[in-house]
Amino acid sequence: MSLGRDVISRTDAEVIGSSPVERTAAGEALGPEQELMTINVGPHHPATHGVLRLLVSLEGEVVRDLKPVVGYVHTGIEKNCEDKSYWKAIPFVERMDYLSYFFNMEAFVGCVERLLGLEIPPRAKYLRVLHLELNRLHSHLVWLGTAALDLGAMSMFFYCFRDRDRILDLFEMSTGQRMHTRYFQVGGVFEDIPVGFERNVRAFCAEMPSRIDQYEAILNRNEIFLRRTRNVGVVPRQRLLDLGVTGPLLRAAGEPWDLRKVDPSLAYADFDFQIPVGTVGDGYDRYRVRVQEMRESVRIVEQALDGLPEGPWIADDRKVVLPPRDELSTSMEALIHHFKLVTEGFRVPPGEAYYAVESPRGELGCFVLADGSAKPARVHIRDPSFVNLQALRDMCIDGYVADLIQNLAMLDPILGGIDR
Amino acid sequence: MPDAPGLELIARDLNEAAEGSVLGTYHEHGQACLIVDPDRILHVLGWLRDSPGQEYRFLCSLHGVDYLPAEPRFGVVYELLNMPRVERLRVRAALADPAASADDGAPGRTRSRRQLRLSGRGVPGA
């Protein structure tokens, strides 16, 4: 946290927000001892969970105004995608929200498949769901560890990263990479799961509920954690809806909105799972909702393994999907398709589509405009962190500056997704 | 999302409420889209939000699109959602030149408009 100046003038205060605090609630002008102080939190501060700058106006220890300043890690991903063929854009979008890379892939790949009118095989749907839910667990584990760390529970960080690493081991086994796997392809997935993967996932799923029990045992009766989260950062459900907030933040306020249930894509309609919701909408509810979501994700992964259909894991449309390796040495046609796809890429008929998935942070949507060429004319990502960040001001106003850190942690923003 | 006849009914009602507000409609990949006059975008979004039976109150996404070589060239696209019915509707303000604003539709628009400006797209009223 870096101090700018001790006292800001009224003119500066107007820059920070639309409603600078100049008078008390009773309408009296602020005295000298009540002068606002503006500080920068971030952009380089571990508690901002990324490169986020918060301009905070303080009256003593109380936050009177707050403005997030974003853009420090803007990398032009959307614009870059316009210069890549569709299949080469996948690694770009994957790197936006770096904790939910499978969801980034699914949003983009699903949108392209919608434009192509391409139906993917049932096995590919199940494999995608399996990896998406493991990814949700991974993302929530990182959140839980870092959010608890912000409140002083350092051991949680180590425990959560221990289990998160087991998920990365599973990703490495099935995809060859621990992060940014590029596993989802237009038409399905890159490769079938290897021998032993199912056994390892089942072992993980068998152990994970008891791990979550342990996490809850650490936090649920921790007086410091409870006092720091209960009734802190409450934002009413309707206000969250007005702001466009989705995901665990919205569900913690009592709105049971989850795209996996209300508008299921892939094979989500086949699975039995519940949507946890909160009642108050405070930090504690956000914690409870995410922890319960981890339990539900474990259930979905187990069901995906139980019901994993046999068959191909990628579509057999040779105009879109690379031919199998063994065909290249026997089929001239396959060789031509391979050459065309690798050098030029596949063409997508003109049109536009929006496709959304329920990421660990809410609705992750992708809009793609196709002009008939092998490259997208426009790609836009609706990243939930970007929209959810709007709620931070409502969470923090008239609260203590110490709670700002907790509120930000419970918001769970990923700046890579916000800035893109 | 509204089916094709439903979309035409929405367009008709909108045009009755404010003549010339809807310039066109289309259905694409199962999604309904209204092309609207950018000068009436506030009215259109307000009508879609507040009219009984419509109630597209949730703004999922807002982005600028360059439709070159089409005319008008630019579009500001609003992805709306009716949460109770789980219906999506796309509204495109067709712009030859940035000239409209939708400041008052929903609080969530402010940040998205700033982002549009950052990306150098046509930004109505930002």
Side-chain angles (χ1 to χ4, degrees), chain A residues 240-371:
Chain A
L240 293 173
L241 287 169
D242 289 345
L243 291 168
V245 171
T246 50
L249 291 179
L250 184 61
R251 291 192 285 275
E255 179 72 34
W257 179 263
D258 189 318
L259 288 176
R260 293 176 296 172
K261 278 286 185 191
V262 298
D263 189 14
S265 57
L266 297 175
Y268 277 111
D270 297 348
F271 303 124
D272 175 30
F273 62 101
Q274 293 181 316
I275 303 301
V277 292
T279 51
V280 179
D282 56 2
Y284 184 71
D285 273 352
R286 290 167 198 141
Y287 153 74
R288 295 291 294 177
V289 163
R290 287 196 181 97
V291 169
Q292 190 58 36
E293 280 184 10
M294 288 164 65
R295 293 186 189 280
E296 297 301 319
S297 289
V298 172
R299 286 181 62 200
I300 295 172
V301 170
E302 286 176 330
Q303 291 174 61
L305 285 175
D306 292 340
L308 189 63
E310 294 295 331
W313 58 88
I314 195 161
D316 60 355
D317 185 343
R318 292 288 183 266
K319 298 291 182 191
V320 175
V321 176
L322 287 174
R325 194 76 187 167
D326 56 290
E327 279 187 22
L328 297 183
S329 54
T330 56
S331 165
M332 176 57 79
E333 191 181 4
L335 197 62
I336 292 169
H337 281 312
H338 187 276
F339 179 78
K340 289 286 282 182
L341 285 171
V342 170
T343 55
E344 183 186 333
F346 54 84
R347 291 173 181 268
V348 175
E352 58 187 14
Y354 177 82
Y355 180 80
V357 294
E358 185 71 29
S359 87
R361 285 159 199 84
E363 177 170 329
L364 175 67
C366 181
F367 171 89
V368 175
L369 172 71
D371 59 2

Side-chain angles (χ1 to χ4, degrees), chain A residues 82 352 378 382 390 420, chain B residues 26 60 64 67 111 115:
Chain A
E82 296 172 15
E352 58 187 14
R378 171 79 167 114
R382 188 260 192 215
Q390 295 177 112
R420 298 191 292 286
Chain B
Y26 62 91
C60 290
Y67 286 97
R111 289 179 60 79
Q115 192 193 36

Side-chain angles (χ1 to χ4, degrees), chain B:
Chain B
M1 64 288 299
D3 55 11
L7 183 64
E8 294 306 321
L9 288 174
I10 292 174
R12 187 199 65 188
D13 292 347
L14 267 168
N15 275 331
E16 281 178 2
E19 194 175 338
S21 55
V22 178
L23 306 176
T25 62
Y26 62 91
H27 248 273
E28 198 168 47
H29 302 292
Q31 187 149 15
C33 181
L34 291 170
I35 303 174
V36 303
D37 181 353
D39 293 333
R40 316 257 177 132
I41 185 67
L42 271 179
H43 170 265
V44 170
L45 294 174
W47 188 89
L48 289 169
R49 183 189 62 191
D50 300 330
S51 298
Q54 302 303 327
E55 293 154 3
Y56 291 92
R57 292 189 175 136
F58 194 86
L59 177 68
C60 290
S61 183
L62 168 59
H63 42 271
V65 182
D66 185 348
Y67 286 97
L68 187 74
E71 286 292 338
R73 176 177 167 181
F74 298 105
V76 175
V77 178
Y78 302 79
E79 301 282 352
L80 303 179
L81 174 67
N82 177 315
M83 292 178 90
R85 296 201 303 261
V86 197
E87 279 188 5
R88 293 183 187 274
L89 177 65
R90 183 177 302 138
V91 178
R92 187 213 294 184
L95 296 160
D97 192 36
S101 173
D103 282 353
D104 306 325
R109 284 180 185 136
T110 311
R111 289 179 60 79
S112 295
R113 280 194 303 109
R114 284 199 196 116
Q115 192 193 36
L116 281 173
R117 185 168 51 198
L118 283 172
S119 68
R121 299 281 169 182
V123 189

Side-chain angles (χ1 to χ4, degrees), chain A residues 78-97:
Chain A
E78 291 176 359
K79 192 68 184 168
N80 272 310
C81 288
E82 296 172 15
D83 199 33
K84 302 286 176 196
S85 52
Y86 285 93
W87 67 285
K88 286 182 180 173
I90 298 172
F92 274 86
V93 295
E94 212 181 354
R95 281 158 173 77
M96 295 181 305
D97 179 346

